[in-house]
Amino acid sequence: MIEYLGKGFFGLLILLSIIGIVIGAESPGYTVYVQGEQSTIESTTDGLYEITIQEIIPFSSIKDGDESFLVPIKHLANESYPMNAVLILAGSEIDLTSLIEISNLSIDSELNTITFEAHPLEFYSGELLNPYYDELGDLESAIEKKTDLSALYLEINNQVAENAWSPPFQCCFEGPNGQCYMKC
């Protein structure tokens, strides 16, 4: 009887010690960098801003941990919205960094423009965009200012796994380790 009690106590001790060892295998998401030239910002009646970035580079850079690679920008249209982003505007009249939430993103590949609605965020509780902003500015100060560089750092969150069967993506852009990053 004492032998079984000792083995049970030892097994319980092992179970309690491995609780802190379990670590998630996947990161919470990744960032996508999009760069363009001039931009226009218009204020709407409901506190949103409509932003158009012109002459965008047709490839965006994905950064996931230590990995970085390029994908065609057209795949951003398939992501789910809203998403958090850092907007950077630079030019002779303005130098602004703003934390925003993006919705209704559309890409016109013929005109090389990207248009979206932005809602300024007062705080950010995530971790992926922290390296990209120091001091935040107000989007209202950017209306009717000339920009030479417009850039976005988009936060793309990984989807949470569901406990149901669903067929794999028929088309996706795979990164260096075979992970599907953007749906086609």
Side-chain angles (χ1 to χ4, degrees):
M1 178 75 174
I2 295 176
E3 180 182 340
Y4 294 116
L5 186 59
K7 288 181 182 179
F9 179 70
F10 182 69
L12 182 63
L13 185 63
I14 288 176
L15 284 174
L16 290 175
S17 66
I18 63 173
I19 288 175
I21 297 175
V22 178
I23 299 172
E26 290 192 26
S27 65
Y30 53 93
T31 57
V32 177
Y33 177 72
V34 178
Q35 182 178 332
E37 290 182 9
Q38 292 123 4
S39 61
T40 57
I41 299 177
E42 297 175 4
S43 180
T44 62
T45 57
D46 52 355
L48 296 175
Y49 295 89
E50 185 172 304
I51 301 173
T52 301
I53 300 176
Q54 301 167 351
E55 297 301 321
I56 58 170
I57 296 174
F59 290 92
S60 59
S61 172
I62 292 180
K63 182 161 176 54
D64 186 7
D66 294 335
E67 297 178 350
S68 184
F69 51 94
L70 297 175
V71 296
I73 194 122
K74 64 183 178 181
H75 297 300
L76 278 177
N78 298 329
E79 293 299 324
S80 60
Y81 298 97
M83 70 173 57
N84 294 330
V86 172
L87 174 67
I88 299 171
L89 302 173
S92 60
E93 299 177 358
I94 190 167
D95 189 15
L96 173 84
T97 302
S98 183
L99 185 60
I100 58 174
E101 181 182 73
I102 290 180
S103 59
N104 299 333
L105 183 127
S106 65
I107 299 170
D108 188 345
S109 55
E110 291 180 13
L111 298 174
N112 290 336
T113 62
I114 186 170
T115 303
F116 55 90
E117 288 183 352
H119 178 266
L121 294 176
E122 294 182 20
F123 65 94
Y124 173 68
S125 62
E127 60 186 50
L128 294 174
L129 297 176
N130 284 337
Y132 304 111
Y133 68 89
D134 291 324
E135 295 181 21
L136 298 178
D138 185 20
L139 281 178
E140 194 68 33
S141 66
I143 294 177
E144 297 184 13
K145 301 283 181 163
K146 184 177 185 319
T147 61
D148 297 324
L149 170 79
S150 302
L152 283 171
Y153 284 98
L154 303 167
E155 176 184 53
I156 310 286
N157 291 315
N158 288 335
Q159 294 180 351
V160 177
E162 295 181 11
N163 198 12
W165 182 83
S166 62
F169 295 120
Q170 298 299 320
C171 178
C172 74
F173 186 84
E174 292 183 10
N177 292 333
Q179 180 180 352
C180 181
Y181 281 94
M182 290 187 171
K183 296 172 259 175
C184 302

